[in-house]
Amino acid sequence: MSKIPIDVSPEVDSALRDGSPVVALESTVIAHGMPRPDNLEIGRRLGQIVRGHGVTPATVAVISGRVKVGLSDSELERLADGADVQKISRRDFSTVVARKLDGATTVAGSMMAAHWAGIRVLATGGIGGVHRGGGFDISADLPDLARTPVCSGAKAIMDLSATLEWMETHGVPVIGYGVNELPAFYTRRSGLALDLWVDGPEQVVELMQAQLRLGIVGGMVVAVPPPEQSALLGAEVQAAIDQALDMAQVEGVRGKDTTPFLLRQMDDLTSGESVIVNKALLENNAKVASHIALALSASVL
Ligand code: PSU
Ligand code: MN
């Protein structure tokens, strides 16, 4: 890893050396996915939740062109406040590093850096997917899940059926966590049955270890439903998503702006309800990811 311009924080570095559990956290959700000031608050809280489990949090970002794994509070603030924070997926990494910019990493970007650092579990609110409408907007999260050996505690929005098909084609196992149906981000149910589900973290670790023993290079998605009490009603959400998509089309939003735009519209259209669910599921995913990281560190000799 010597040539990679990466700074693993001393705390994360020492946890990794000891074989102690570590959970990587993405940062696009902080910089681009959440309104201020909730974004900074949730960024801090995710770290606290992970820590509360005796696990070391490692938030991933790029600061002045250096890849950071494990952020200080002032770096987190810089990302949450910054107007000039890039959104980094695989293709953006080289630009942001070459130009010494600041950037927040998506699931794809965060998985890459987690892998460079040797971290195997990443938590997020929602992975990207195949956007609706039959176009060509497919999140860079998907190909990275297919090639980066990181396990993501996550959930998808968008065209969920197409997203599942994409992951099947490219060999990404999708594991229902206590559910046998793919959760639909804001709601617990999508109607899309999964082939694989587990009841707890040890079973996730068994699957990760088998994938590793087989020499299969790639990640897996652990799909966690939002907590019961915070899930939004399906029909209500569906109407808001349709409206948000229409607005994106009318305004000609495209490329990497699409997901942040849709999330902002959802916030408006649901009078902030979507942000409340988003926070609840982020917190819950941080908890599940911590459980997985704990089980993983207990299993590795
Ligand atoms: N879903 C959310 N909130 C988010 C994201 C997804 O509910 O903030 C972010 C994640 O960082 C994810 C990224 O990796 O959006 C995907 O963006 P795109 O669709 O442009 O690949
Ligand atoms: Mn996209």
Side-chain angles (χ1 to χ4, degrees), residues 131 137 139 255:
H131 281 262
D137 189 351
S139 173

Side-chain angles (χ1 to χ4, degrees), residues 26 28-29 33 87 106-107 126 128 131 139-141 185 259 263 278:
E26 60 126 331
T28 291
V29 67
K87 175 177 161 186
T106 62
V107 168
H131 281 262
S139 173
D141 290 353
F185 195 64
T259 296
L263 293 169
N278 209 334

Side-chain angles (χ1 to χ4, degrees), residues 144-257:
D144 261 290
L145 275 165
R147 67 180 154 210
T148 311
V150 166
C151 159
S152 175
K155 227 166 290 61
I157 187 176
M158 314 181 175
D159 186 334
L160 295 180
S161 173
T163 301
L164 273 184
E165 293 291 351
W166 196 101
M167 291 197 280
E168 180 178 346
T169 300
H170 294 270
V172 182
V174 180
I175 308 163
Y177 198 83
V179 287
N180 59 10
E181 200 179 299
L182 186 72
F185 195 64
Y186 295 119
T187 56
R188 292 179 65 86
R189 312 196 56 159
S190 66
L192 296 165
L194 294 173
D195 300 322
L196 179 63
W197 59 89
V198 298
D199 297 320
E202 292 80 12
Q203 289 169 282
V204 175
V205 171
E206 281 168 16
L207 295 167
M208 290 170 75
Q209 303 294 50
Q211 193 189 42
L212 196 67
R213 278 202 306 278
L214 289 165
I216 297 171
V217 176
M220 36 180 75
V221 173
V222 180
V224 188
E228 199 99 50
Q229 63 279 17
S230 61
L232 291 176
L233 294 172
E236 229 175 279
V237 179
Q238 200 48 57
I241 292 175
D242 288 342
Q243 232 177 311
L245 287 165
D246 283 348
M247 285 161 87
Q249 199 158 29
V250 169
E251 295 195 21
V253 180
R254 48 174 297 281
K256 66 205 285 186
D257 297 331

Side-chain angles (χ1 to χ4, degrees), residues 45-300:
R45 186 143 65 214
L46 295 179
Q48 287 159 4
I49 289 169
V50 172
R51 250 180 241 293
H53 285 84
V55 177
T56 304
T59 308
V60 176
V62 176
I63 303 281
S64 304
R66 301 276 311 174
V67 182
K68 302 280 177 186
V69 176
L71 295 184
S72 67
D73 194 62
S74 64
E75 288 167 335
L76 197 65
E77 265 181 41
R78 182 161 155 174
L79 287 181
D81 293 345
D84 233 357
V85 176
Q86 310 295 309
K87 175 177 161 186
I88 308 177
S89 275
R90 176 170 287 264
R91 74 163 184 179
D92 315 289
F93 246 121
S94 43
T95 314
V96 176
V97 166
R99 298 187 175 167
K100 302 195 168 20
L101 303 174
D102 286 356
T105 43
T106 62
V107 168
S110 304
M111 281 192 293
M112 290 170 67
H115 181 52
W116 291 330
I119 301 170
R120 294 181 59 198
V121 182
L122 171 87
T124 176
I127 59 165
V130 179
H131 281 262
R132 297 190 195 205
F136 285 101
D137 189 351
I138 297 175
S139 173
D141 290 353
L142 296 186
D144 261 290
L145 275 165
R147 67 180 154 210
T148 311
V150 166
C151 159
S152 175
K155 227 166 290 61
I157 187 176
M158 314 181 175
D159 186 334
L160 295 180
S161 173
T163 301
L164 273 184
E165 293 291 351
W166 196 101
M167 291 197 280
E168 180 178 346
T169 300
H170 294 270
V172 182
V174 180
I175 308 163
Y177 198 83
V179 287
N180 59 10
E181 200 179 299
L182 186 72
F185 195 64
Y186 295 119
T187 56
R188 292 179 65 86
R189 312 196 56 159
S190 66
L192 296 165
L194 294 173
D195 300 322
L196 179 63
W197 59 89
V198 298
D199 297 320
E202 292 80 12
Q203 289 169 282
V204 175
V205 171
E206 281 168 16
L207 295 167
M208 290 170 75
Q209 303 294 50
Q211 193 189 42
L212 196 67
R213 278 202 306 278
L214 289 165
I216 297 171
V217 176
M220 36 180 75
V221 173
V222 180
V224 188
E228 199 99 50
Q229 63 279 17
S230 61
L232 291 176
L233 294 172
E236 229 175 279
V237 179
Q238 200 48 57
I241 292 175
D242 288 342
Q243 232 177 311
L245 287 165
D246 283 348
M247 285 161 87
Q249 199 158 29
V250 169
E251 295 195 21
V253 180
R254 48 174 297 281
K256 66 205 285 186
D257 297 331
T258 304
T259 296
F261 177 88
L262 292 175
L263 293 169
R264 271 197 309 278
Q265 297 307 319
M266 289 297 290
D267 181 7
D268 283 351
L269 292 166
T270 64
S271 313
E273 280 283 308
S274 69
V275 173
I276 293 172
V277 186
N278 209 334
K279 278 199 231 175
L281 66 87
L282 275 161
E283 290 172 6
N284 191 50
N285 285 357
K287 181 180 88 179
V288 171
S290 300
H291 291 162
I292 294 170
L294 282 164
L296 183 66
S297 79
S299 81
V300 181

